């Protein structure tokens, strides 16, 4: 678990009339759970052009703060979706938010849920970026921002400091991804488990995050082993040590893993070591031998062999590709104040 922050990151949800409640509730509960697990990590605020809005289901949400003149450093801004076939930029409340986004909002991270991507596009925040939205708004997003590369069939898309999602439940996937990036995948996986989100999906990839693969179950002994492995992937996990964590025999643990997780205990260890190695490759300057050692592999050769089970690119090529993406995002960040 990461250290307690000295100052909470403000997470501001911008609410418009006819807001889709699940677009708000899913991400908000993920950040709320993170703040409970890491006191002082996040502080939620709900803002809008009006002090109260009627959600699409008819429930009135009141007590909203006005749109702030400026955002605190490091703030996360969440643009939630609205009900309807299209976003009307001429509607007074929507126009107010668009103008505010264009002139005043300077978040560290911008998270767009569902049709929130269209609102961001009207404000000029998606020009030159990869992005997505709910499938019903894909063509609308392309019309509003022809300079964006709009991707369909995506859960969410990350482009620098701008994140866009397909909306509804995908907003929860996006929030968990951001929490995992800021406070570690174990925190995000624990929150997903608390929220009974069995399959926390990855953004631009149909595959699951390795940290939550094989966790679509509720068996306590199997989860206990998986938690122990995720906490310390580099430990010398043997079949006997894993079964001791589960308080059962090695044979029974293998049966439980096959039945509930769909893999063997040792295969799961290799998967989590691969996930750690992947993080080290993208977030540290360590060479491959040191990455392998830190992740629990005997050698770089063993890492390469295991790596090929889940990644088509070899480790060195993957590292170069991620570094280039980061450089590209940095270039784009210099041309947009909200990115």
């Amino acid at each position: 678990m990461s250290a307690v922050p000295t100052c909470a990151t403000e997470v501001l949800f911008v609410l418009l009339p006819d807001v889709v409640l699940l677009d708000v509730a899913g991400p908000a509960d993920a950040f709320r759970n993170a703040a409970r697990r890491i006191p002082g990590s996040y502080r939620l605020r709900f803002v809008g052009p009006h002090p109260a809005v009627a959600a699409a289901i008819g429930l009135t949400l009141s007590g909203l703060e006005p749109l702030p003149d400026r955002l605190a450093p490091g703030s996360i801004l969440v643009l939630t979706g609205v009900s309807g076939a299209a976003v009307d930029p001429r509607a007074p409340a929507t126009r107010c938010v668009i103008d505010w986004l264009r002139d005043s909002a300077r978040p560290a991270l911008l998270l767009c849920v569902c049709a929130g991507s269209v609102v961001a596009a009207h404000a000029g925040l998606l020009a030159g970026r990869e992005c997505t939205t709910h499938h019903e708004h894909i063509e609308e997003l392309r019309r509003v921002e022809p300079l964006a590369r709009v991707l369909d069939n995506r859960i969410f898309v990350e482009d620098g400091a701008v994140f866009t999602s397909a909306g509804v439940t995908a907003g929860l996937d996006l929030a968990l991804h951001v929490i995992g990036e800021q406070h570690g995948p174990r925190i995000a996986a624990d929150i997903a488990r608390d929220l009974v989100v069995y399959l926390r999906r990855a953004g631009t990839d149909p595959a699951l995050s390795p940290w939550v693969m094989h966790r679509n179950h509720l068996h306590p002994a199997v989860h206990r082993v998986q938690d122990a492995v995720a906490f310390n992937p580099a430990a010398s996990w043997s079949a006997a040590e894993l079964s001791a964590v589960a308080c059962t025999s090695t044979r029974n643990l293998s049966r439980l893993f096959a039945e509930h997780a769909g893999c063997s205990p040792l295969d799961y260890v290799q998967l989590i070591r691969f996930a750690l190695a992947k993080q080290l490759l993208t977030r540290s300057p360590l060479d491959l031998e040191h990455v392998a050692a830190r992740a629990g592999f005997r050698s770089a050769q063993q890492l390469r062999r295991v790596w090929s089970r889940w990644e088509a690119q070899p480790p060195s090529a993957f590292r170069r590709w991620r570094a280039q993406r980061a450089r590209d995002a940095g270039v784009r960040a210099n041309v947009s104040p909200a990115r």
Side-chain angles (χ1 to χ4, degrees):
M1 183 178 293
S2 58
V4 176
T6 57
C7 184
T9 296
E10 291 194 346
V11 184
L12 291 88
F13 290 80
V14 181
L15 306 187
L16 285 166
D18 291 321
V19 62
V20 177
L21 200 56
L22 199 55
D23 289 359
V24 182
D29 220 36
F31 284 111
R32 179 189 67 83
N33 270 268
R36 179 177 61 84
R37 289 179 174 275
I38 309 176
S41 55
Y42 297 108
R43 183 169 80 90
L44 276 61
R45 297 173 60 188
F46 300 90
V47 305
H50 302 306
V53 296
I57 61 171
L59 180 69
T60 297
L61 305 175
S62 60
L64 304 184
E65 300 177 47
L67 298 171
D69 292 334
R70 56 183 303 223
L71 302 181
S75 293
I76 298 173
L77 188 65
V78 184
L79 295 180
T80 55
V82 294
S83 178
V87 174
D88 182 2
R90 298 166 298 178
T94 305
R95 172 49 54 189
C96 180
V97 169
I98 291 171
D99 291 342
W100 176 74
L101 289 169
R102 183 181 292 124
D103 300 333
S104 303
R106 298 292 184 270
L109 296 181
L110 176 65
L111 278 55
C112 303
V113 183
C114 193
S117 300
V118 180
V119 176
H122 278 293
L125 303 182
L126 301 185
R129 291 196 176 276
E130 291 187 347
C131 56
T132 194
T133 186
H134 190 277
H135 58 85
E136 291 184 353
H137 294 280
I138 285 288
E139 293 307 319
E140 178 188 8
L141 183 57
R142 289 185 173 125
R143 289 194 303 272
V144 171
E145 185 47 271
L147 298 180
R149 184 184 174 210
V150 180
L151 306 176
D152 52 16
N153 195 29
R154 294 292 189 273
I155 299 302
F156 62 84
V157 173
E158 174 183 356
D159 191 325
V162 174
F163 299 76
T164 51
S165 80
V168 197
T169 60
L172 178 54
D173 294 297
L174 175 54
L176 288 168
H177 173 76
V178 171
I179 292 167
E181 288 291 303
Q182 294 189 338
H183 297 287
R186 189 182 179 210
I187 293 294
D190 287 347
I191 293 170
R193 185 179 173 192
D194 281 352
L195 297 178
V196 201
V197 181
Y198 303 133
L199 302 180
R200 186 169 69 88
R201 299 162 290 186
T204 56
D205 192 318
L208 298 175
S209 164
W211 296 95
V212 292
M213 287 174 67
H214 304 295
R215 301 203 67 155
N216 184 9
H217 66 87
L218 296 175
H219 196 283
V222 177
H223 273 305
R224 194 158 59 244
V225 172
Q226 291 174 320
D227 287 344
V229 172
F231 182 73
N232 188 7
S236 56
W237 293 111
S238 65
E241 288 167 329
L242 294 170
S243 61
V245 172
C247 300
T248 188
S249 67
T250 56
R251 181 177 180 181
N252 190 47
L253 182 62
S254 294
R255 182 186 64 79
L256 291 175
F257 258 78
E259 179 181 351
H260 297 282
C263 66
S264 74
L266 292 178
D267 279 345
Y268 185 78
V269 171
Q270 296 290 58
L271 172 66
I272 297 303
R273 286 174 175 170
F274 156 76
L276 176 58
K278 197 172 183 181
Q279 283 188 345
L280 291 171
L281 273 175
T282 56
R283 300 180 186 178
S284 79
L286 295 173
D287 62 33
L288 198 59
E289 285 291 349
H290 284 91
V291 166
R294 288 275 189 95
F297 293 102
R298 293 190 302 272
S299 64
Q301 183 179 2
Q302 187 195 24
L303 169 57
R304 291 189 188 95
R305 186 166 60 250
V306 172
W307 182 280
S308 64
R309 294 176 58 184
W310 291 287
E311 277 288 342
Q313 289 182 314
S316 56
F318 178 82
R319 171 177 261 173
R320 289 194 298 271
W321 173 71
R322 287 300 297 263
Q324 184 60 52
R325 285 198 65 186
R327 286 193 293 271
D328 292 345
V331 170
R332 285 192 291 268
N334 289 329
V335 301
S336 174
R339 298 165 201 172

